[in-house]
Amino acid sequence: MFVACAKTLRTHSTKFSAFIRLESTLVIAEHNNEILAPITQVTLSAAKKIGGDITVLVAGTKCKPAAEALCKANGINKVLIAENDAFKGFTPESLTPLIIETHKQFNFSHIIAGASAFGKALLPRVAAKLDVSPVSDIINIKSSDTFVRTIYAGNALQTIKVKDGIKVITVRGTAFEQLPLDGGNISTELAPAGDYKSNLVEFVKQELSKSDRPELTSAKVVVSGGRGLKSGENFKLLYALADKLNAAVGASRAAVDAGFVPNDLQVGQTGKIVAPDLYIAVGISGAIQHLAGMKDSKTIVAINKDPEAPIFQVADYGLVADLFKVVPELTEKL
Amino acid sequence: MARVLVGVKRVIDYAVKIRVKPDKTGVVTDGVKHSMNPFDEIAIEEAVRMKEKKLAQEVIAISCGPAQAQETLRTALAMGADRGIHVEISGSEYETLQPIHVSKILAKLAKDEKADLIIVGKQAIDDDCNQTAQMTAGLLDWPAGTFCSKIEHGQGELMITREIDGGLEVIKVKTPAVLSADLRLNEPRYATLPNIMKAKKKPIKKLTPKELNVDTTPRIEIISVEDPPVRQAGSIVPDVDTLVEKLKASGHV
C-alpha cells in the first residue's frame, strides 16, 4: 500500500518538478519474424511498473507481425521498427549497435528485455557498451532504481539499488502478468538507420523442437519427468497425461543428461523457470537446482516412490507410489 | 595455435544448502564448503581438450577473488591448465565485485596475454548473473558464442551450437571470440592425484585490479538479502483417487 502511494506521489511529482528525471524505458521486443514472444508482454508490464514513457524496439528481418501486435498494446508510446537482413538470427553483435544508436537518439533511463536465451545473450553486451552494470532476471520492481532478484538458485532474494544512470535489466518471464495486446492504437516509426551488419558472426541454422503442446514457460499446467522415468520411451506416459491436461512437458537435468528428452525441456536454475498453476513432478527427487525452476508454481504435485525425496517438502500433494502404476491410472481417471 | 584464457570462479559448492545471514547483508560463506563453479569446470575441460587436440598452445586459468581463489586455480591447473593468474580482490571490495568488473579484468588480460579465445561458464551458481561472457565480448568487440553445447574448430572461425529456448542454434563466429559453456558442452574430468601434485609446481601470477587499471567501484548497492517465502507444508495422499479429488476440489482439473 505504502509503495503504491509513494509511487503515485512520485509519478505526479515528476510532472511538476524539474529535478526528477522522467523515466523512459526502451523494451527490446522478442519475436521470431512471425509472432511476438509472450515474454515481451511480460516485459511490457514490468516497464509499466517502472513508469514513464515506453518505447518498444522491434528488430528483425520481418518486423510487421510483431509490430502490428504491439501497436495494439495499451500504454505504449512508441513502436520503432528496424527491418534489415543484418538482424538475421537476432545476433547480439548486430542488435547491440542498433540499440546504442536508438538510445543515443532518445536517451532512455531503462533498457529492458525478457530473461530468455535471447535477452540474456543480448543485454549484457549492450550494458558493456554503455559501461553500466546490468541486472539479470528481476522478479520485482520496488522503484525505478531498486529491484529484487534471486540468487543461489532461488534460495535467497536480493534487493539491489542500481547506481548507474541507465538501468539495463532482464525480466523473469513468470514474475509479471502479460500486458494484454488491446486498448491501444498507435502507428510504427522507423528506428535509426545504420549499417548494422556484423562480420564477426553468421547465423547458420536453428533446430527447434516441434510440439503441439503449449510452450513450457507460459503453460498453465506442466508435467515434468526425471530420472525415475528410466528411458525416453517411458516419457510417453507423461505425454499422455500432459495431453489430458493440455499441459506442457518439462524435465529434470537428469532426464536431459540421460538423453530421455531434448535440453530445451529442462526446468531449473540453468534451464527454464516456470510458474504454472499446476506442476506435476514425476520421478523427480527435487534437487536444489530443479526446485529453482518450479517452486513458484501455484500447486505442486509430486509422484515419487521414495518418501524421503526432497520434492515432497515443497509439494502440496504428494503420492508415494510407483509412477509406472499411478501415472497411467491418473491419466485414465482425469 | 591459439592461446586460451579461462575464467574460473570459486563459489559455494552446488550441493550446500545456503543460509542467509541474520543481519540480511548476504549469505553465510565462512566455514562453508566452496568449489569451482560447475560451469567453469566445463570451460576448463573444453580448453584442455583443445590443447590435447593441438588446437591450443597454452591454457591460462584466471580467477578474481580472495586468497582462497588460488585453490580454485590449482584445481584448474590439475585439470590441465598451464598456468594461472590470480587477480586478488578481498573483503568488501570482493563482496561488491560484479560481472562488469570481472569482464574488464578479463578483457585487459586478453590483450596483455594476446589471447585468441576466452571461455567462461555460462553463469555462476551464486549470483546467477549470466553476464560475464557477453560483457567481455562487448568490451573487446569480439563475437560471443553464448550457451555453447558444441564447438567445432575451423580456420579463423568456430562453428558453435548454442542451447536456446526452443532447441538448438548454430552460428559461425570469427576468432578471437568469447564463449560461454553450457552444461552439455562436455563431461569435465577429475583431477588425478599425480596431476594435483604436478599442479603445485605450475606458476600462478598474482595481480591486483589496480595494476590492471580496472576500477572496481561498486555500481550496484545490495540493500538486503533475505530468505524466500516458505511454502506451506502439503499433504501426502494415499491413492490416485484422492489426488484426483483434491485437484478437482482446487479447480485444477
Side-chain angles (χ1 to χ4, degrees), chain A residues 229-292:
Chain A
L229 266 296
K230 294 202 172 85
S231 76
E233 181 75 7
N234 289 335
F235 256 77
K236 278 186 184 155
L237 295 174
L238 297 194
Y239 295 143
L241 176 59
D243 289 343
K244 210 62 177 275
L245 292 163
N246 190 30
V249 171
S252 69
R253 181 187 166 189
V256 176
D257 283 354
F260 301 170
V261 289
N263 66 279
D264 57 299
L265 297 192
Q266 185 181 328
V267 171
Q269 183 183 18
T270 65
K272 304 262 164 46
I273 296 189
V274 301
D277 290 341
L278 176 62
Y279 188 89
I280 305 180
V282 182
I284 291 176
S285 65
I288 295 169
Q289 292 75 20
H290 185 74
L291 300 183

Side-chain angles (χ1 to χ4, degrees), chain B residues 105-151:
Chain B
I105 291 168
L106 287 177
K108 177 71 169 51
L109 286 171
K111 284 180 192 157
D112 290 354
E113 299 287 344
K114 297 185 176 55
D116 306 281
L117 198 61
I118 301 177
I119 313 180
V120 294
K122 86 160 174 182
Q123 77 192 62
I125 61 164
D126 52 1
D127 62 28
D128 281 336
C129 276
N130 193 334
Q131 299 171 349
T132 301
Q134 296 87 317
M135 297 192 86
T136 308
L139 293 168
L140 288 163
D141 267 319
W142 291 3
T146 43
F147 329 141
C148 300
S149 63
K150 193 174 169 194
I151 301 164

Side-chain angles (χ1 to χ4, degrees), chain A residues 93 120 129 131 136 152 157 159 161 200 202 204-205 207 266 269-270 272 295 297 299 316 318, chain B residues 104 122 126 128-129 131 134 138 141 144 165 168 170 172 174 184 221 223-224 226 231 237 252:
Chain A
E93 291 77 359
K120 287 174 181 172
K129 287 288 175 207
D131 192 21
S136 297
Y152 288 96
L157 301 180
T159 303
K161 187 174 171 157
L200 299 173
E202 185 192 326
V204 179
K205 62 176 175 177
E207 290 160 15
Q266 185 181 328
Q269 183 183 18
T270 65
K272 304 262 164 46
K295 68 179 176 187
S297 305
T299 299
D316 299 278
Chain B
K104 286 182 177 184
K122 86 160 174 182
D126 52 1
D128 281 336
C129 276
Q131 299 171 349
Q134 296 87 317
D141 267 319
D165 289 334
L168 298 170
V170 181
K172 225 191 267 180
K174 283 205 176 130
R184 278 159 283 274
E221 184 189 336
I223 308 275
S224 69
E226 294 169 63
R231 281 190 83 95
V237 293
H252 285 301

Side-chain angles (χ1 to χ4, degrees), chain B residues 220-247:
Chain B
I220 285 175
E221 184 189 336
I222 298 168
I223 308 275
S224 69
V225 174
E226 294 169 63
D227 282 309
V230 181
R231 281 190 83 95
Q232 290 242 305
S235 59
I236 298 290
V237 293
D239 51 34
V240 172
D241 288 323
T242 319
L243 178 59
V244 172
E245 211 174 279
K246 295 269 191 198
L247 290 178

